[in-house]
Amino acid sequence: MFMDNNDFRKKAHRLVDWMADYFAEVEDYPVKPSTAPNDILNQLPESAPQDSESFEKIFSDFEDVIMPGMTHWESPQFMAYFPANKSYPSVLAEMLTATLGAQCMSWITSPAATELEEQMMIWLRDMIGLPSSFTGVIQDTASTATLAALLMAREKVTDFEVNASGFSGAETHTLYCSAETHSSIEKNVKITGFGSQSLRKIGVDDMFAMNPTALEKSIQKDINDGHTPTCIIATLGTTGSTAIDPLKEIAVICDRYDIFLHVDAAYAGTALLLPEMRDMIDGIEAVDSFVFNPHKWMFTNFDCSAFFVQDEELLVRTFEITPEYLKTPEDERVKNYRDWGIPLGRRFRALKLWFVIRTFGIEGLQKKIKHHLKLAKNFKQRVEQSANFELMAPVPFNVICLRYHPPEVSDEKKLNELNERLLSKSQHSGEFFLTHTKLNGKFVIRVVLGNTNVEQRHADAVWNHLQELSQTLTSQK
Ligand SMILES: Cc1ncc(COP(=O)(O)O)c(C=O)c1O
């Protein structure tokens, strides 16, 4: 026996202690490791061990080899990309999920998992103010959910012809998103067979939101050219600057031309927990599908992406295949979530949502989100008042796009170089992890105040950090 039940118990207790220490101390780690490519790989044996190795040895390698190469997403100094935040109840639920090890492809493979998922999707739908005509399912990521949405759009417009016969090669479908849309849309347009050339990237306004007039013009041109407008993807909270596409106006256009409308609210959907943020879903009745990720901002471990659709039958018909070995007597009376998306096998993800929502309560979640929004508002004011930094985009949520801009430098190329250097210095410091984007060709540093335990002192510290580092650049300007 390599590890018996007694051993497991002891080791698990030890790991729980390690986990609690990690959470308590994560702020003391360099948020981003200083390892170079292949540093970790070079420490790993070239082949698997023939003989059993002790847990002590494995765990000490975890601490000595793996941990120094980890980026600490849990750290409040992690302000890069979007967070993949989490919370104690979520981690505890994940321990149970791993222990049960259920593969929840069908109702019968764990009735409780299916039924809890069904109820969690109703809770979530109501918590973020979606109409009751929506029904939901948990996907691994927003990328997968959007892939499912595009496949639904494809089957709807072709009356399931592509599912049956494949593309004929004479198709004329066109899809629309803004120039600021996440890269997963383009990837999905490739995967679904529409082809990148069928994707129209619509221009944005000065808030980086889709311009609906340009959208309609593009649709009309495509119709005149003999194309079939098939799907529009609107984003609430773009990845670069969290811009909000004007859903209401886009929805009217979708209605007018009978086009499938998918909403990608992967990050910002969590803000809908606050009723005062729901202006951005004006027009939601016309939306066909909607995705948001509790695994980004709702304190629920990666992975957990909530995908809602209005037409459950269309979704299931797009994916359903029931081989003999999966048939069960209850099929007519239950949900078999394997038919609601791409993979057959499914993790028990609803459990962590149940733990998180019950532990925080709706009010607790709202309080946390409001706190993040307030931190961002304060931070934005600082940038606006600074003589040396410039705010580069509106701040509707908790992402601040800024750049260092000393008054004496006006050349855009120089400003880009300065900010690239500033970010590189920041990343090398290991004190904070910030990342960048480009807006209108301008290099922009993003500060994301969305980690579970981010506080005012962390926002103060990153502001001081940027200011201090910028001073070291000035001398070399
Ligand atoms: C707006 C938006 N959509 C989709 C995605 C993809 O998310 P996922 O990693 O869940 O596929 C992201 C990732 O950051 C995003 O910002």
Side-chain angles (χ1 to χ4, degrees):
M1 195 57 161
F2 304 113
M3 194 184 285
D4 64 19
N5 195 270
N6 259 338
D7 276 346
F8 171 75
R9 188 181 304 277
K10 277 191 219 140
K11 267 124 207 173
H13 280 294
R14 189 170 145 203
L15 286 199
V16 169
D17 282 338
W18 186 95
M19 289 158 71
D21 288 344
Y22 177 74
F23 284 129
E25 293 160 6
V26 65
E27 218 174 309
D28 304 331
Y29 287 85
V31 58
K32 189 179 154 300
S34 52
T35 48
N38 294 325
D39 276 359
I40 310 297
L41 191 60
N42 289 336
Q43 295 177 69
L44 301 173
E46 278 179 17
S47 51
Q50 281 301 338
D51 299 321
S52 165
E53 295 191 63
S54 72
F55 178 81
E56 301 307 322
K57 174 83 177 83
I58 299 167
F59 191 67
S60 86
D61 284 348
F62 166 73
E63 289 193 300
D64 299 343
V65 179
I66 303 301
M67 280 302 283
M70 290 306 292
T71 299
H72 297 285
W73 284 71
E74 183 54 22
S75 166
Q77 288 101 324
F78 182 101
M79 300 177 181
Y81 310 108
F82 284 140
N85 71 19
K86 64 196 75 61
S87 57
Y88 292 129
S90 171
V91 173
L92 293 176
E94 281 285 48
M95 288 162 69
L96 296 180
T97 294
T99 303
L100 294 169
Q103 200 276 64
C104 309
M105 59 186 173
S106 308
W107 178 85
I108 202 169
T109 63
S110 272
T114 296
E115 293 179 19
L116 187 64
E117 180 161 345
E118 194 172 338
Q119 196 57 44
M120 286 309 95
M121 290 297 97
I122 292 170
W123 282 11
L124 265 189
R125 176 194 72 196
D126 296 348
M127 283 164 63
I128 63 168
L130 296 188
S132 59
S133 47
F134 280 89
T135 178
V137 55
I138 306 177
Q139 305 278 355
D140 53 3
T141 60
S143 302
T144 310
T146 297
L147 176 56
L150 263 54
L151 290 167
M152 285 170 75
R154 188 187 77 185
E155 293 315 303
K156 185 176 179 192
V157 78
T158 64
D159 196 18
F160 295 91
E161 200 43 47
V162 177
N163 259 3
S165 319
F167 280 113
S168 71
E171 282 81 9
T172 54
H173 303 111
T174 45
L175 298 92
Y176 307 82
C177 64
S178 94
E180 289 291 321
T181 305
H182 188 259
S183 57
S184 57
I185 309 305
E186 192 160 347
K187 198 187 226 182
N188 284 328
V189 169
K190 294 204 284 186
I191 299 169
T192 45
F194 287 119
S196 298
Q197 285 177 11
S198 64
L199 183 63
R200 311 287 186 249
K201 290 194 179 165
I202 306 299
V204 293
D205 60 18
D206 53 6
M207 318 255 283
F208 304 103
M210 190 193 283
N211 176 338
T213 311
L215 169 67
E216 187 157 18
K217 267 196 190 145
S218 179
I219 291 170
Q220 284 170 345
K221 180 177 182 313
D222 281 332
I223 293 172
N224 289 339
D225 291 347
H227 295 296
T228 312
T230 297
C231 182
I232 298 178
I233 300 102
T235 308
L236 306 179
T238 57
T239 315
S241 71
T242 63
I244 304 170
D245 287 344
L247 188 61
K248 192 161 189 160
E249 287 161 271
I250 295 170
V252 169
I253 296 170
C254 279
D255 233 21
R256 188 173 299 143
Y257 297 93
D258 191 19
I259 303 173
F260 191 98
L261 175 55
H262 173 63
V263 171
D264 176 0
Y267 183 62
T270 296
L272 294 168
L273 289 167
L274 304 177
E276 62 269 30
M277 299 297 287
R278 293 190 191 150
D279 284 358
M280 65 175 165
I281 50 166
D282 261 7
I284 189 74
E285 297 74 18
V287 167
D288 293 284
S289 57
F290 178 101
V291 63
F292 96 101
N293 284 352
H295 75 224
K296 280 189 176 357
W297 191 12
M298 215 191 87
F299 319 109
T300 308
N301 279 67
F302 186 84
D303 50 355
C304 183
S305 185
F307 181 49
F308 295 95
V309 297
Q310 296 241 37
D311 187 345
E312 178 182 325
E313 198 190 324
L314 171 63
L315 174 70
V316 173
R317 230 184 120 190
T318 299
F319 292 107
E320 188 177 40
I321 285 181
T322 311
E324 192 55 39
Y325 48 83
L326 290 179
K327 286 184 184 154
T328 70
E330 297 84 10
D331 282 350
E332 294 304 310
R333 290 182 292 139
V334 299
K335 292 192 192 308
N336 287 316
Y337 281 125
R338 63 166 191 270
D339 295 331
W340 290 54
I342 292 144
L344 169 66
R346 307 182 76 252
R347 297 182 68 237
F348 183 12
R349 299 189 187 90
L351 194 67
K352 58 191 166 188
L353 270 178
W354 197 46
F355 272 49
V356 168
I357 297 170
R358 293 180 65 188
T359 305
F360 281 84
I362 296 175
E363 249 181 54
L365 291 168
Q366 289 172 329
K367 210 165 139 200
K368 268 290 205 198
I369 300 304
K370 273 190 195 162
H371 173 60
H372 289 165
L373 297 179
K374 187 156 170 242
L375 290 178
K377 196 169 162 209
N378 293 343
F379 200 98
K380 173 187 167 230
Q381 279 166 0
R382 279 183 165 166
V383 180
E384 281 171 332
Q385 286 158 11
S386 156
N388 284 325
F389 280 84
E390 185 183 7
L391 192 68
M392 300 301 285
V395 183
F397 306 105
N398 57 349
V399 176
I400 302 100
C401 291
L402 53 81
R403 71 172 174 179
Y404 175 49
H405 188 166
E408 65 277 16
V409 184
S410 56
D411 180 69
E412 283 299 332
K413 201 164 157 249
K414 262 209 181 112
L415 283 169
N416 279 356
E417 279 165 16
L418 265 181
N419 281 281
E420 271 184 60
R421 276 172 47 214
L422 175 58
L423 183 67
S424 163
K425 277 185 175 245
S426 168
Q427 291 190 343
H428 279 103
S429 77
E431 286 177 54
F432 291 91
F433 189 15
L434 302 170
T435 49
H436 80 285
T437 190
K438 275 195 175 166
L439 296 172
N440 287 332
K442 297 172 185 171
F443 190 95
V444 167
I445 297 173
R446 296 164 74 261
V447 178
V448 185
L449 300 171
N451 239 324
T452 310
N453 295 316
V454 66
E455 294 296 343
Q456 187 60 54
R457 68 189 169 88
H458 303 110
D460 293 345
V462 73
W463 178 236
N464 293 337
H465 165 82
L466 285 171
Q467 288 195 314
E468 278 163 23
L469 284 184
S470 70
Q471 291 316 304
T472 67
L473 292 174
T474 314
S475 53
Q476 306 161 30
K477 265 190 323 237

